[in-house]
Amino acid sequence: MRDVVVVGAGLSGLVASLRLRRAGLRTALVHMGRGGLQLGQGTIDVLGYRPARVERPLDELGAFCASTEDEGGPTHPYAVLGADGIRAGVAWLRELVGESLPGDVETNTALPTALGGLRPTALYPPSMAAGAVSLDPAAPGALHGGSSVVVVGIDQLKDFSPRLVAENLAVVGLPDGGLLTTRSASISFPGRGTEADSNAVNIARALDRPGRRGEFIAALRTVSRRGETVAVPNVLGLDPATFRAVADGLDRPLFEIPLPPPGVAGLRLNDLLTDLAKAARVELIGGSRVTGARTGEGRVRSLLVGTAGHETALEARAFLLAPGGFESGALELDSHGVLHERILGLPLAVPDGELLNDAWAGRQPIFRVGVAADAAMRVVEPSTGRPVHENLHAAGGILAGAQRWDEKSGEGIALASAVRAADSIIESLKESA
């Protein structure tokens, strides 16, 4: 019998599975397909806004959690996990990926966006480092007042407007009080054949072939000048080595700007963690939907997984639910206005009052819906705080209390809760052995 079954192959599921496996536990990871990493930008957001831009996320954590309590509704996950929980989650990710994520969990950095704004994040891919703006005026980043940037678009990639990015970056005030000097340019680089319309993934795959990189580098040289930093859309390969090869060949500072999903940088991180899971011999069960559970005596005995023509029961000593939230279909608001946790029918923590309002930006209470968890990340009844099942834990986007996209807190919650849940499972199984 397996020791642990983890549901969901997003950031939480992958890092938790690796931690469980490194502890010697027989671990299975059940998932329908790629997790939410492909929807992200390959960055690790801990806390970006509250609602003003946050410079030192862990220093502001206490006041931020207090402000969410003032709004009522479910407790924010950070109120349970704390700054040390976030540090532990980020440290574990860095232990797994090594030098793949520069930055600092203590101090946010701003990165250019596909609209020419600057958004804060804690860790980011090396391919974005040359575009980093320090939020501390006394410690300039790679870009600072007076930096010269040429934003280069690709004719076949319609999701990126170099002119829009360049013009907006030129008027965005930097923390050091300066401005960037920017201009825009464009090159032709079809991802496949002579296609007139391409996408970021096809272009990234083309650049993973060494024969196409020289063509791309030559085109960049024709539109860039010495002394300029070159900004391109996030297309520089699914293979992390591709960015370094292009940057070395160009011999000028080069960085990527994230695009709408699917994000190439997110796919890179997903592939890296998935490869690590395979190497660690995590049992990966893909293309499988969890349809229910068998329970008894206050514990989950097995999860039921839909397979060809029948259901398969996956027995284990402990279970970790990390399937995401509304965006993955794990949470649902049906046509009768009733909220559901679709996998196990778990009770949900729901804010009082209206769940949706007519504000186009700001708080939408429905996004704070999710399962409640205790300090060990066990799923609990929201009204009593008692575990629903002693061996059922949760992590990531299914947890109640956060509006992740607005706070820029998603990856911080995912990592901290995944490590806390994994450590709780490891400890509980040692005690019961």
Side-chain angles (χ1 to χ4, degrees), residues 132-175:
V133 176
S134 173
L135 294 180
D136 181 357
L143 293 184
H144 47 83
S147 295
S148 182
V149 179
V150 56
V151 182
V152 182
I154 299 170
D155 294 338
Q156 292 79 10
L157 183 63
K158 303 303 192 292
D159 290 337
F160 185 80
S161 168
R163 180 178 175 182
L164 175 68
V165 175
E167 291 183 352
N168 282 346
L169 281 177
V171 298
V172 172
L174 302 183

Side-chain angles (χ1 to χ4, degrees), residues 68-69 71-75 350-352 368:
T68 63
E69 291 297 320
E71 296 173 356
T75 300
V350 181
D352 295 329
R368 300 181 69 192

Side-chain angles (χ1 to χ4, degrees), residues 262-346:
V264 169
L267 288 169
R268 287 181 203 139
L269 183 56
N270 180 86
D271 291 346
L272 174 57
L273 291 172
T274 301
D275 288 345
L276 288 172
K278 291 176 181 177
R281 302 191 71 173
V282 174
E283 180 187 1
L284 299 174
I285 305 174
S288 302
R289 183 183 296 278
V290 179
T291 58
R294 292 174 180 161
T295 62
E297 299 179 352
R299 299 177 67 84
V300 176
R301 301 298 180 182
S302 63
L303 293 182
L304 302 177
V305 177
T307 53
H310 66 284
E311 287 184 329
T312 299
L314 300 180
E315 296 182 350
R317 299 163 66 197
F319 299 85
L320 173 56
L321 200 60
F326 286 103
E327 72 285 350
S328 66
L331 300 177
E332 176 188 65
L333 179 67
D334 67 21
S335 59
H336 300 283
V338 179
L339 289 156
H340 305 274
E341 187 279 307
R342 294 183 60 192
I343 298 176
L344 302 179
L346 296 171

Side-chain angles (χ1 to χ4, degrees), residues 3-6 16 20 23 25 27 317-321 376-378 390-394 418-432:
D3 291 311
V4 189
V5 172
V6 179
L20 293 163
L25 298 180
T27 304
R317 299 163 66 197
F319 299 85
L320 173 56
L321 200 60
M377 293 295 107
R378 291 180 302 177
E390 286 291 338
N391 63 340
L392 178 63
H393 298 71
V419 168
R420 177 72 62 83
D423 287 350
S424 299
I425 291 170
I426 292 165
E427 187 63 29
S428 66
L429 295 188
K430 282 181 181 178
E431 291 175 355
S432 63

Side-chain angles (χ1 to χ4, degrees), residues 211-281:
R212 296 294 310 272
R213 293 175 194 160
E215 174 188 345
F216 189 77
I217 292 168
L220 289 181
R221 281 181 177 154
T222 64
V223 296
S224 61
R225 304 165 186 159
R226 287 289 178 185
E228 285 184 321
T229 297
V230 180
V232 298
N234 179 205
V235 298
L236 297 182
L238 296 172
D239 182 348
T242 297
F243 164 73
R244 182 44 52 201
V246 174
D248 290 346
L250 183 62
D251 194 27
R252 290 167 196 177
L254 173 70
F255 70 92
E256 294 182 293
I257 294 177
L259 293 170
V264 169
L267 288 169
R268 287 181 203 139
L269 183 56
N270 180 86
D271 291 346
L272 174 57
L273 291 172
T274 301
D275 288 345
L276 288 172
K278 291 176 181 177
R281 302 191 71 173

